[in-house]
Amino acid sequence: MLYPRETRTREIKDLCGIWRFKVDKENKGYEQRWFERPLEDAILMPVPSSYNDITQDESIRDHIGDVWYERTFYIPESWKGKRIVLRVGSATHHAKLFLNGKEIAQNKGGFLPFEVEINKFAQIGCENRLTIVVNNILDWSCLPPGFIREYKDSMHPDGYKTQEYLFDFFNYSGIHRPVLLYTTSKTYIEDIRVKTQIDGKKGIVCFKVVVDGEKKNECQIEATLYNRDGGQIAKVEGPEGMIKVENAIFWEPSNPYLYKLNVTLVHDGKAIDEYYLPVGIRTVEVKGKRLYLNGKPVYLKGLAKHEDSDIRGKGYDPVIAVKDFNLLKWIGANSFRTSHYPYAEEILNLADEYGFLVIDEAPAVGMNFFNKNEKVFIPERVNQNTLEHHLEVIRRLIARDKNHPCVIMWSVANEAATYEDGAYEYFKRVINEVRKLDKTRPVTLVESSFPDETKVAGLVDVICVNRYYSWYSDPGRLDLIEFQLEKELKRWFELYQKPVIVTEYGADTIAGFHSSPPMMFSEEYQCEMLERYHRVFDRLNFVIGEHIWNFADFATKQEVRRIMGNRKGIFTRQRQPKMAAFLLKKRWESMKENK
Ligand code: BDP
């Protein structure tokens, strides 16, 4: 799936901005056919953004069910004869789209884009009304999964229900990423797949173009590779080919050099469609104890993130995005994980450009009660339906992100109950699907299980493990970290002989809380904890990366163990550094690329 870009043949109309919005409190919208006419009693709502924190009304913040978004737009006369596509960057978690009162699309899954050709439904040269119904209910067939709980008893005579989920971030909802219209010619470039290799100083760019539309068999394809300054390197004809780049500049964090592949579709001697793709020439490989980027060992320094910020919730905002990349650069990181779902493609575009190595994660989080008596991989919970959806999400994720040089690894899930018997068959199917679709990147599953109990570690290329010694276990006992961590990490390596990344470790820290000697929740405790972890990492040569939990404080549901959210950020939610940020900056800036 190609990211929408303007070219000399393609136009974009941005539908972001202020939409009309209505919460369907009584669940009557479909029955009363709200899609047939302009929404009555609507309020204003920005897109993209979560809707939860925009108003002063907690019944909107905590709503469970449908909300309705609506806006009008014009399609210019000049778009006659073009293919017109509506693309929604994401709508969390389910969406139904109506154009001028007619249903045109549905989508399940809140973290990936979907698009629909609207020529049949749109009115050219006049106003069109677009309605998007977004539903945020999670069940066991969704990723992430969830379930509804109803309370009705003598203490709750009126009853109420809650959306339950086993993951640790607020279930922000709404239209989270840009909504766009874009045009192509009727016969068009549907997809491009690029793979790169390295041969000494040479870079090899292999490409494959997929064309669709009535005249697809009558078209020629031209692919031209340019360097960053616009100098032409080679021009090749045909739907697939290979371009050799002498003395290539390889894409890496210290020099994220991007070439540009321009693809033109020619019909009757005329360029009818054109698209370009930034291309980073780089290879990723896991061999023995190490991860190699362009044949050189690389050590991952960084943080796990969230799409989360004040007011916007999970809404994409270029202001927050660029600030976050500046902070990642400032702190000396070279990588991050898209915990716990695919991020906006705009973020990956920036990671390509800034030069960050990304572990790209599927939205499979919360498949674990952390209680061995409550199983998850059983027919009434994570079952065949969940698996089908998981496979579909994997296909869509790889279809979207396959060409990004920043993506160096796929993570199929976070902290699933991998000690359960059912987990093995389930993840075998998921991981096989990843391997079938992409042979150029390693695959992982982020574990919270211990080395002797997991059933899936044999399936992955890199062991990724989240661990909270001296926090969730032995709280306050910083002195136990080194012994426990070293023992565990050595066991992972002994059993699986695979490199290990510690993908989460950290401590809730309230900015401004101080304590010496360190106590939990103080800035000193966070620093001391990190330092002890780092001493262990530095002793073990099979540890190939450290990702702290979390980049910034973030919102969670209200519960007693969360103080206005999860406070394990190295930065506050407003992106101000805690003491630990300076410690990390010092460590990472003085570390070599391969540790
Ligand atoms: C891990 C989860 C992460 C949580 C974190 C925590 O992967 O989503 O936010 O713990 O508890 O278990 O802070």
Side-chain angles (χ1 to χ4, degrees):
M1 184 184 220
L2 297 175
Y3 182 75
R5 289 182 203 284
E6 274 180 329
T7 65
R8 77 182 147 128
T9 63
R10 293 182 172 215
E11 282 179 68
I12 290 181
K13 191 180 175 96
D14 189 349
L15 298 185
C16 298
I18 308 289
W19 290 46
R20 289 154 48 79
F21 176 87
K22 187 169 173 170
V23 175
D24 191 355
K25 289 194 176 145
E26 284 150 19
N27 200 16
K28 290 253 165 62
Y30 286 114
E31 193 187 309
Q32 296 176 354
R33 305 178 77 77
W34 289 0
F35 48 87
E36 283 183 345
R37 49 195 172 271
L39 285 176
E40 283 164 26
D41 307 319
I43 62 169
L44 301 182
M45 189 57 68
V47 170
S49 176
S50 300
Y51 59 75
N52 310 75
D53 293 344
I54 298 296
T55 75
Q56 295 304 96
D57 182 347
E58 74 251 41
S59 74
I60 294 183
R61 184 190 65 201
D62 298 331
H63 177 67
I64 303 170
D66 290 337
V67 298
W68 290 60
Y69 283 82
E70 176 192 273
R71 72 160 285 164
T72 54
F73 61 86
Y74 271 80
I75 295 183
E77 298 275 1
S78 60
W79 282 17
K80 237 178 221 159
K82 300 252 174 202
R83 173 174 166 265
I84 305 169
V85 182
L86 171 68
R87 177 185 170 111
V88 179
S90 76
T92 311
H93 299 279
H94 309 264
K96 218 176 234 188
L97 273 58
F98 297 86
L99 190 60
N100 301 321
K102 296 225 166 49
E103 187 180 328
I104 57 165
Q106 288 193 24
N107 185 63
K108 173 176 173 178
F111 299 98
L112 284 168
F114 56 96
E115 45 181 48
V116 50
E117 210 177 295
I118 60 165
N119 292 64
K120 271 194 289 192
F121 312 94
Q123 300 170 10
I124 296 190
C126 354
E127 200 177 59
N128 291 269
R129 192 180 70 257
L130 173 63
T131 313
I132 305 187
V133 190
V134 181
N135 179 291
N136 65 354
I137 295 181
L138 294 170
D139 61 28
W140 287 103
S141 78
C142 300
L143 287 188
F147 50 97
I148 299 286
R149 187 169 275 159
E150 307 229 17
Y151 294 84
K152 195 166 167 93
D153 53 32
S154 58
M155 292 303 277
H156 309 95
D158 297 334
Y160 77 99
K161 59 178 186 180
T162 54
Q163 169 71 66
E164 298 292 322
Y165 43 87
L166 306 171
F167 53 87
D168 184 36
F169 53 90
F170 186 67
N171 187 30
Y172 276 117
S173 313
I175 301 177
H176 283 158
R177 298 177 190 162
V179 181
L180 306 173
L181 286 175
Y182 71 89
T183 63
T184 69
S185 51
K186 287 279 171 80
T187 298
Y188 59 98
I189 301 163
E190 153 77 11
D191 197 21
I192 305 173
R193 170 85 203 229
V194 163
K195 289 181 192 163
T196 62
Q197 291 158 20
I198 290 176
D199 177 12
K201 288 187 164 184
K202 231 181 277 161
I204 299 167
V205 178
C206 301
F207 67 89
K208 200 169 178 173
V209 181
V210 180
V211 175
D212 208 354
E214 252 174 52
K215 298 183 181 145
K216 65 177 178 190
N217 297 325
E218 303 160 25
C219 293
Q220 291 82 51
I221 295 162
E222 287 171 8
T224 315
L225 190 72
Y226 296 94
N227 66 22
R228 194 159 63 184
D229 307 319
Q232 182 174 320
I233 293 170
K235 187 169 180 172
V236 178
E237 284 189 15
E240 48 191 292
M242 194 178 88
I243 295 173
K244 288 194 179 136
V245 185
E246 299 294 337
N247 294 316
I249 305 176
F250 304 134
W251 184 96
E252 56 182 29
S254 59
N255 186 16
Y257 191 96
L258 292 171
Y259 293 86
K260 180 168 152 185
L261 184 72
N262 209 78
V263 175
T264 311
L265 193 62
V266 181
H267 185 259
D268 272 347
K270 200 174 144 225
I272 56 166
D273 194 17
E274 186 170 81
Y275 187 84
Y276 70 89
L277 199 69
V279 174
I281 301 179
R282 63 112 187 85
T283 57
V284 190
E285 201 185 356
V286 174
K287 244 187 347 200
K289 293 179 186 170
R290 306 307 301 254
L291 172 71
Y292 293 84
L293 182 75
N294 306 334
K296 290 185 292 190
V298 65
Y299 185 82
L300 303 185
K301 312 177 275 187
L303 312 105
K305 286 191 93 250
H306 259 305
E307 287 186 318
D308 177 274
S309 67
D310 277 336
I311 304 169
R312 300 145 183 84
K314 290 205 168 317
Y316 171 74
D317 178 355
V319 177
I320 304 289
V322 174
K323 177 73 182 176
D324 282 5
F325 276 102
N326 284 333
L327 291 174
L328 286 166
K329 276 276 168 217
W330 172 83
I331 204 169
N334 65 3
S335 57
F336 63 89
R337 173 166 63 117
T338 72
S339 40
H340 293 309
Y341 36 80
Y343 289 0
E345 200 173 348
E346 288 76 5
I347 302 281
L348 296 183
N349 292 339
L350 287 169
D352 286 342
E353 219 169 305
Y354 279 99
F356 282 91
L357 307 170
V358 176
I359 302 178
D360 200 355
E361 189 156 278
V365 56
M367 292 171 150
N368 200 340
F369 281 96
F370 297 99
N371 168 0
K372 301 239 157 95
N373 300 320
E374 281 248 49
K375 290 217 169 6
V376 171
F377 291 88
I378 50 172
E380 40 303 355
R381 290 188 176 140
V382 172
N383 55 24
Q384 191 60 25
N385 291 337
T386 327
L387 176 62
E388 295 300 329
H389 182 55
H390 204 148
L391 295 172
E392 192 203 322
V393 165
I394 291 288
R395 285 177 212 122
R396 286 172 59 182
L397 173 67
I398 295 178
R400 189 193 73 160
D401 294 349
K402 60 185 182 289
N403 293 322
H404 284 282
C406 66
V407 176
I408 57 148
M409 202 180 299
W410 305 109
S411 160
V412 298
N414 179 72
E415 296 196 350
T418 55
Y419 47 79
E420 288 181 25
D421 288 332
Y424 176 75
E425 278 305 319
Y426 184 95
F427 284 112
K428 199 167 119 191
R429 290 280 309 275
V430 174
I431 290 173
N432 281 347
E433 190 69 16
V434 177
R435 296 202 190 280
K436 196 174 91 195
L437 296 171
D438 185 13
K439 299 186 174 38
T440 70
R441 293 176 177 91
V443 190
T444 193
L445 182 153
V446 173
E447 291 269 26
S448 58
S449 305
F450 286 94
D452 287 280
E453 60 179 7
T454 176
K455 305 269 195 290
V456 308
L459 300 170
V460 300
D461 298 311
V462 176
I463 304 289
C464 285
V465 53
N466 299 344
R467 201 57 77 212
Y468 290 91
Y469 289 125
S470 93
W471 193 261
Y472 293 122
S473 62
D474 301 306
R477 291 299 301 267
L478 290 164
D479 58 313
L480 295 178
I481 292 174
E482 288 189 58
F483 167 75
Q484 295 180 339
L485 182 67
E486 186 157 356
K487 184 172 159 148
E488 182 191 341
L489 295 180
K490 282 183 166 161
R491 185 69 182 150
W492 278 107
F493 189 69
E494 182 183 307
L495 284 180
Y496 303 104
Q497 300 290 310
K498 293 175 186 183
V500 176
I501 303 172
V502 179
T503 28
E504 286 186 30
Y505 58 111
D508 282 272
T509 307
I510 313 284
F513 273 25
H514 290 289
S515 154
S516 177
M519 292 218 338
M520 292 174 77
F521 296 98
S522 69
E523 299 207 34
E524 287 79 2
Y525 195 91
Q526 190 180 34
C527 289
E528 182 80 31
M529 177 195 251
L530 297 181
E531 281 188 319
R532 289 178 189 256
Y533 270 76
H534 295 158
R535 268 182 240 151
V536 176
F537 301 159
D538 292 345
R539 289 201 285 271
L540 303 177
N541 61 6
F542 56 83
V543 172
I544 58 159
E546 53 193 59
H547 277 177
I548 288 144
W549 189 257
N550 187 286
F551 171 78
D553 295 346
F554 59 91
T556 62
K557 66 180 159 210
Q558 301 186 61
E559 55 174 319
V560 286
R561 49 173 212 145
R562 294 287 174 252
I563 307 154
M564 299 272 290
N566 186 310
R567 301 299 193 113
K568 296 193 186 69
I570 294 301
F571 298 96
T572 64
R573 202 178 189 215
Q574 295 69 40
R575 277 45 180 183
Q576 292 304 323
K578 299 182 191 170
M579 251 166 67
F582 298 96
L583 176 154
L584 289 170
K585 182 172 165 61
K586 197 159 156 213
R587 171 175 169 81
W588 288 342
E589 281 181 346
S590 64
M591 250 172 137
K592 291 199 225 76
E593 278 300 315
N594 65 354
K595 151 161 142 180

